[in-house]
Amino acid sequence: MNKLHKGILAPVALAVLMSTASWAAEQPSLSDRAYRAVNKAQELIAAKKYGEANAKLQDALSGAGEKVYDKGVILQTLGFVAAQQEQYGKATKYFADAIATGGLPQPVAQQVRYNLAQLYMAEGNFKGSINTMKEWFASLGKEDKPTPHAYITLANAHVQLKQYREAIPAVDSAIRLSAGKAPESWYLLKMGAHYELKQYKPATEVLTTLVGMFPEKKKYWTQLSAMYMQAGNDPKALAALESAYRLGMLTEQAELLRLANYLAFAGIPHRGARVLEKAMKEGQVERSVANLKTLANYWHQAKELDPAIDTLMTAYRQAPNAELQLKMARMMIQSKRYQDLVALAGKPAGNASALQRADLKFLTGVAYFEQNRPKEALTAFTQAAQNGQVSGRATPWISFLKEQNPQAQDSQTQ
């Protein structure tokens, strides 16, 4: 904090130390007594004898009477002395009083106002900073041109008070006057103000600018994607995230899972599956049961049944589960992997219920039927039909097989 204050007050100090001597020659109303006191104070300040400098200036101030030029110079110098002693509350009061005398020449008074506004900012007196900067703008001469930093000081103070609508025109002026050399922080200030006002379109425009200026910074790509998503523009949200991915910026598990999910949500599950599969192979995404099931779901959405089944099998081996087993069995019917289904269903998961075991038997019957093995199919369907909830589906198969294959019926009765 002390470094911040000193950095703000250094230009004020320079103005005091360099201009006072010339003032005496140019301003006849600056009395000899005030001139001698200020010069002596400068010598004491250089020797870091601040107490003596303060005493000398206080004595001169008490004798200044109504001489506004004297008072302005003395108060300004007192402010510098206070700042050197880190008495910043006193420093701001002295500088404000110096301006209030009306005795400072316009260029110096403007410099003091500008630095006083920044000092108020550092102290958290944002209202004081705004008022001082408004005075600074109002006091500009016809030939004077405000600097970008003047506008950004005003914008910062408004943001601190959550006066975002007032901050935006100020930061816009700062960026415009910077002629393409505005620092990154100014754009972030503008974006933040728009976002707080829920003005997502202009906030997105600022982020687009930042992406163009700093394409190597991942945070702007991901923020741009999130902003587009907030605005309901899913295609552009996905495009921004994919751009970051192609640039090799997405390396965290959460980021890669989000991209894969966006791709699947956007109707491109095949690409989502490829992203997730690659991330798992490279160790960026954990091959957990949950992530494997997500990957299998993307393959399934993409109508890629075999990769979906193989991925689910990997998850199943990690954590055998009846629900997962049944899901694979049904997909194996779709993919015509009948032999794999028979092998899988032959060992029901430990947590399989009676109904799930019956369902596995039913699917085994279908697999045998498709392999033209009617005897085995009839046996499987008959076993499945022993469960009342499955018998309604199994019975027609049993009747059909008995009609078409009398030998299979005979084998059942023996």
Side-chain angles (χ1 to χ4, degrees):
M1 186 68 171
N2 293 342
K3 289 182 180 179
L4 179 60
H5 282 94
K6 288 182 178 179
I8 291 172
L9 290 171
V12 178
L14 188 63
V16 173
L17 297 177
M18 294 182 65
S19 65
T20 306
S22 61
W23 243 359
E26 297 174 5
Q27 300 293 341
S29 58
L30 184 63
S31 69
D32 289 341
R33 180 182 178 183
Y35 176 65
R36 288 194 301 272
V38 171
N39 274 350
K40 181 61 178 177
Q42 290 176 5
E43 294 174 8
L44 293 169
I45 291 167
K48 297 186 179 181
K49 297 180 179 180
Y50 303 121
E52 294 180 37
N54 183 73
K56 190 73 176 176
L57 291 166
Q58 292 290 356
D59 182 62
L61 183 62
S62 64
E66 299 301 318
K67 298 174 183 177
V68 292
Y69 287 101
D70 287 9
K71 291 175 71 174
V73 174
I74 294 167
L75 287 165
Q76 187 183 10
T77 312
L78 278 167
F80 175 62
V81 173
Q84 290 299 104
Q85 297 176 88
E86 300 182 1
Q87 298 172 350
Y88 302 117
K90 287 185 178 180
T92 54
K93 186 177 186 309
Y94 281 134
F95 289 139
D97 289 346
I99 296 169
T101 63
L104 297 176
Q106 179 67 1
V108 178
Q110 281 291 80
Q111 187 177 18
V112 175
R113 282 192 187 94
Y114 182 77
N115 287 279
L116 179 59
Q118 293 185 71
L119 185 57
Y120 279 141
M121 277 286 294
E123 289 189 320
N125 184 354
F126 307 120
K127 187 175 181 180
S129 181
I130 291 170
N131 291 337
T132 304
M133 281 309 303
K134 286 182 177 180
E135 291 173 7
W136 186 89
F137 280 107
S139 301
L140 288 173
K142 292 182 179 180
E143 303 301 320
D144 296 331
K145 294 183 179 180
T147 64
H149 285 277
Y151 280 110
I152 211 65
T153 297
L154 181 60
N156 269 311
H158 279 304
V159 165
Q160 292 297 328
L161 292 176
K162 299 184 179 180
Q163 297 173 348
Y164 303 114
R165 293 189 188 279
E166 293 81 356
I168 291 170
V171 72
D172 281 342
S173 296
I175 292 172
R176 185 178 65 255
L177 290 174
S178 70
K181 296 180 179 180
E184 182 179 1
S185 59
W186 295 7
Y187 289 98
L188 291 174
L189 183 69
K190 175 176 169 61
M191 182 190 70
H194 282 302
Y195 185 81
E196 291 292 340
L197 293 169
K198 294 182 171 56
Q199 296 174 348
Y200 300 125
K201 183 178 179 180
T204 302
E205 291 171 356
V206 178
L207 267 174
T208 302
T209 300
L210 285 167
V211 163
M213 293 170 63
F214 308 101
E216 75 285 358
K217 292 196 174 184
K218 176 175 71 175
K219 65 179 181 179
Y220 294 137
W221 289 104
T222 55
Q223 287 174 3
L224 181 60
S225 176
M227 197 72 74
Y228 276 130
M229 182 65 72
Q230 183 100 37
N233 194 331
D234 294 336
K236 287 191 174 181
L238 176 58
L241 206 58
E242 276 202 287
S243 295
Y245 177 72
R246 286 194 296 270
L247 291 168
M249 294 178 178
L250 303 187
T251 56
E252 300 296 325
Q253 175 169 289
E255 297 168 343
L256 292 162
L257 287 171
R258 186 181 304 115
L259 173 59
N261 183 58
Y262 277 8
L263 287 164
F265 180 78
I268 322 170
H270 188 275
R271 272 163 56 187
R274 290 295 183 194
V275 166
L276 190 50
E277 185 178 57
K278 181 174 182 289
M280 285 184 178
K281 286 180 179 178
E282 295 178 357
Q284 295 172 311
V285 172
E286 182 186 2
R287 295 180 69 85
S288 65
V289 171
N291 289 338
L292 286 166
K293 287 168 70 174
T294 298
L295 175 58
N297 187 46
Y298 295 156
W299 284 126
H300 195 199
Q301 288 180 44
K303 303 186 186 311
E304 295 278 355
L305 292 177
D306 287 335
I309 292 168
D310 293 340
T311 303
L312 284 178
M313 184 61 75
T314 302
Y316 182 76
R317 286 175 183 145
Q318 286 189 38
N321 177 277
E323 184 178 350
L324 197 58
Q325 188 178 30
L326 270 170
K327 185 173 183 178
M328 279 190 290
R330 293 187 181 105
M331 291 170 67
M332 285 173 176
I333 291 290
Q334 291 179 279
S335 189
K336 300 182 180 180
R337 290 171 59 168
Y338 306 122
Q339 191 170 342
D340 289 339
L341 190 158
V342 171
L344 173 68
K347 296 179 181 179
N351 70 330
S353 65
L355 175 60
Q356 288 170 327
R357 289 172 183 271
D359 278 332
L360 287 171
K361 284 294 182 182
F362 177 84
L363 292 170
T364 300
V366 175
Y368 278 134
F369 177 81
E370 294 294 343
Q371 293 178 84
N372 197 26
R373 297 169 64 180
K375 290 182 180 180
E376 292 89 341
L378 182 56
T379 299
F381 284 128
T382 301
Q383 291 172 342
Q386 292 175 11
N387 185 287
Q389 293 178 270
V390 181
S391 62
R393 285 179 282 142
T395 299
W397 283 92
I398 294 170
S399 300
F400 175 78
L401 286 168
K402 287 180 177 181
E403 289 174 5
Q404 296 295 319
N405 301 278
Q407 292 180 346
Q409 181 178 358
D410 292 341
S411 68
Q412 290 291 309
T413 58
Q414 288 177 357

